[in-house]
Amino acid sequence: MPVIQDSERQAPSVTPATPARTLLPSILPALAVGVISSLILVGVETAAEQLEDVLWQTVPDALGIGRYSVAWMFVMLIATGIAVGLVVWKAPGHAGPDPATLGLDAPVLPPVVLPGLLLATALMLAGGPSLGPENPIIAANVGLAVWLGSRFLPRAPGRIWPALAEAATLGALFGTPVAAALVISEVLSRQETRGLLWDNLFAPLTAAAAGALTATLIDHPSFDLDLPSMGRPGWSDLLAAVVVACVGALLGMCAVRALPYVHGAFRRLRHPMLMLPAGGVVLGGLAALGGHLTLFKGLDEIAELAHDPDGWSAGEFALMAVVKLAAMLVAASCGFRGGRIFPAVFVGTSLGLCAHALVSGVHPSVGVSAGVLGVLLAITRQGWISLFVAAVLVASPGILTLLCVASLPAWLLVTGRPQMQLREDGTPLR
């Protein structure tokens, strides 16, 4: 048997780096996509907030009806279902594909579909269903970026525009490009790419930074819940984080398992003018059960919960978590255009504060961050974004170590199981 000399051994493969002159031309397009995507997000959210003030404050005050009375919540949610149903029915392209089939990786939609999608999203955000803006805004920005990019820079690779738009929107949503870098890194790990990781991240990260800076200058987004600060974490904190994260993952998986059945029930109604108003009726009942804090995407509402972590009983926190999860499930199943990250954060926050109310030794910061981590792992099936969101809610450096450890058993509970996303035929995506 011949002996291979050291000099004859195959040298380890080295991924060639991309020259700087190749990356530099991507800066201006990435900046443009970042600014435009952020402006669209801020514009839709601002319009929705203005309409929300009219619908939930000005009108009920003028009518002498309680802003969040059971009757008004029913009226508003059913009316929102009718309004969004009209858009889905009549708008070109029916306001995009079924939201239950969409994740953060949006399809490229034709430009004619985008106005209806943005209108349906703004109406949903203002009317109170429990969904966030992320999925439809990403889809709209991806479609717009591909259309504009193909017109003004036809020689650029077509696959770059969706990545830029998705990264820019995520940067604007969270007010930092870090979230976009984490999500894009997970996407790149499933694709064949050339060059180093940071070569592939350069343009999307530029777009995300532009989107984040634009949103920060205009809208000042913040996710810090201002929870009581914690000192150096101990073994009891680690145990609490592991337990709460696992319970959150199991709770989130309940919604994942139920999605095909709830979606199928609404799908039997066949027409958006039946599906969406029927969803509004169910959401009205859930709002009557859980209270007004379980309405809307949930970001402002979790700040209200966290402002007084001892202001509700464990049973009240548990009820809000379950109702919000059910409301998110119904809203995503009946056809409201929206994403599931922000309502999932509300569910995890309520769960964490429930744990604190049950066991006073569970620090609110540990409970909230671990609860959000577990629920997001089940709902999004993306580890990095789940860790990021859970960590930014709590301004405590020591929390990240606890979350990294707690994510491991929680991930074992969700990996390999159905995701909270359906195929076009209504079967679960794995």
Side-chain angles (χ1 to χ4, degrees):
M1 180 176 179
V3 178
I4 300 177
Q5 302 296 329
D6 290 342
S7 60
E8 297 176 349
R9 294 182 186 275
Q10 185 178 2
S13 60
V14 177
T15 303
T18 304
R21 65 178 180 273
T22 304
L23 298 177
L24 285 172
S26 67
I27 293 178
L28 287 180
L31 290 174
V33 171
V35 173
I36 293 172
S37 297
S38 183
L39 290 175
I40 290 175
L41 170 66
V42 174
V44 170
E45 288 196 320
T46 301
E49 289 171 2
Q50 296 296 322
L51 180 58
E52 178 187 331
D53 290 342
V54 172
L55 296 176
W56 291 92
Q57 296 181 26
T58 306
V59 174
D61 288 349
L63 296 175
I65 302 173
R67 293 180 178 179
Y68 295 109
S69 64
V70 171
W72 190 247
M73 289 191 292
F74 263 106
V75 168
M76 282 310 310
L77 289 165
I78 295 172
T80 302
I82 294 172
V84 175
L86 282 170
V87 174
V88 174
W89 180 25
K90 294 296 187 180
H94 303 291
D98 185 344
T101 65
L102 291 182
L104 293 178
D105 49 342
V108 179
L109 301 176
V112 70
V113 180
L114 306 185
L117 177 59
L118 292 175
L119 177 59
T121 303
L123 291 172
M124 181 279 300
L125 291 172
S130 295
L131 293 173
E134 61 275 12
N135 289 11
I137 298 296
I138 288 175
N141 284 338
V142 165
L144 183 62
V146 171
W147 179 63
L148 292 176
S150 63
R151 286 174 62 90
F152 294 104
L153 290 173
R155 294 185 179 181
R159 64 181 181 275
I160 189 62
W161 302 113
L164 293 180
E166 180 176 345
T169 310
L170 289 171
L173 273 168
F174 296 105
T176 171
V178 175
L182 296 174
V183 172
I184 298 297
S185 296
E186 288 198 28
V187 173
L188 291 176
S189 69
R190 301 191 296 268
Q191 300 176 352
E192 292 185 6
T193 57
R194 295 181 179 179
L196 300 175
L197 173 63
W198 279 94
D199 291 336
N200 289 280
L201 281 176
F202 181 82
L205 196 56
T206 302
L213 288 172
T214 303
T216 300
L217 290 172
I218 298 174
D219 200 37
H220 311 292
S222 175
F223 287 83
D224 185 4
L225 297 181
D226 198 25
L227 287 164
S229 60
M230 61 176 295
R232 183 177 180 180
W235 290 108
S236 60
D237 295 317
L238 178 61
L239 176 62
V242 169
V243 172
V244 175
C246 289
V247 173
L250 292 173
L251 181 61
M253 285 303 299
C254 292
V256 173
R257 292 287 188 179
L259 178 62
Y261 303 101
V262 179
H263 181 266
F266 281 106
R267 204 172 187 179
R268 291 188 186 96
L269 298 176
R270 298 182 178 276
H271 200 282
M273 287 303 295
L274 296 176
M275 295 167 59
L276 283 148
V281 172
V282 178
L283 291 174
L286 290 170
L289 180 63
H292 72 277
L293 289 178
T294 59
L295 294 171
F296 305 105
K297 67 180 181 181
L299 193 58
D300 293 333
E301 289 71 23
I302 62 172
E304 187 170 342
L305 289 181
H307 180 70
D308 187 10
D310 298 310
W312 288 268
S313 67
E316 289 172 319
F317 281 126
L319 178 63
M320 285 189 282
V322 173
V323 167
K324 187 69 172 183
L325 189 68
M328 175 183 66
L329 174 63
V330 170
S333 299
C334 71
F336 283 109
R337 272 49 182 170
R340 299 177 278 276
I341 290 179
F342 290 106
V345 172
F346 181 97
V347 175
T349 300
S350 299
L351 176 64
L353 294 175
C354 174
H356 168 68
L358 281 174
V359 182
S360 59
V362 176
H363 195 281
S365 296
V366 175
V368 167
S369 57
V372 170
L373 172 66
V375 175
L376 281 178
L377 284 174
I379 299 301
T380 69
R381 211 57 56 86
Q382 293 187 332
W384 283 126
I385 195 68
S386 301
L387 275 169
F388 169 81
V389 174
V392 297
L393 295 175
V394 179
S396 176
I399 204 72
L400 190 57
T401 302
L402 300 179
L403 294 178
C404 288
V405 176
S407 68
L408 302 178
W411 182 255
L412 292 177
L413 294 173
V414 303
T415 186
R417 291 173 172 80
Q419 301 183 32
M420 198 169 187
Q421 185 176 345
L422 302 178
R423 298 184 178 90
E424 292 186 2
D425 61 0
T427 58
L429 185 68
R430 287 183 178 269

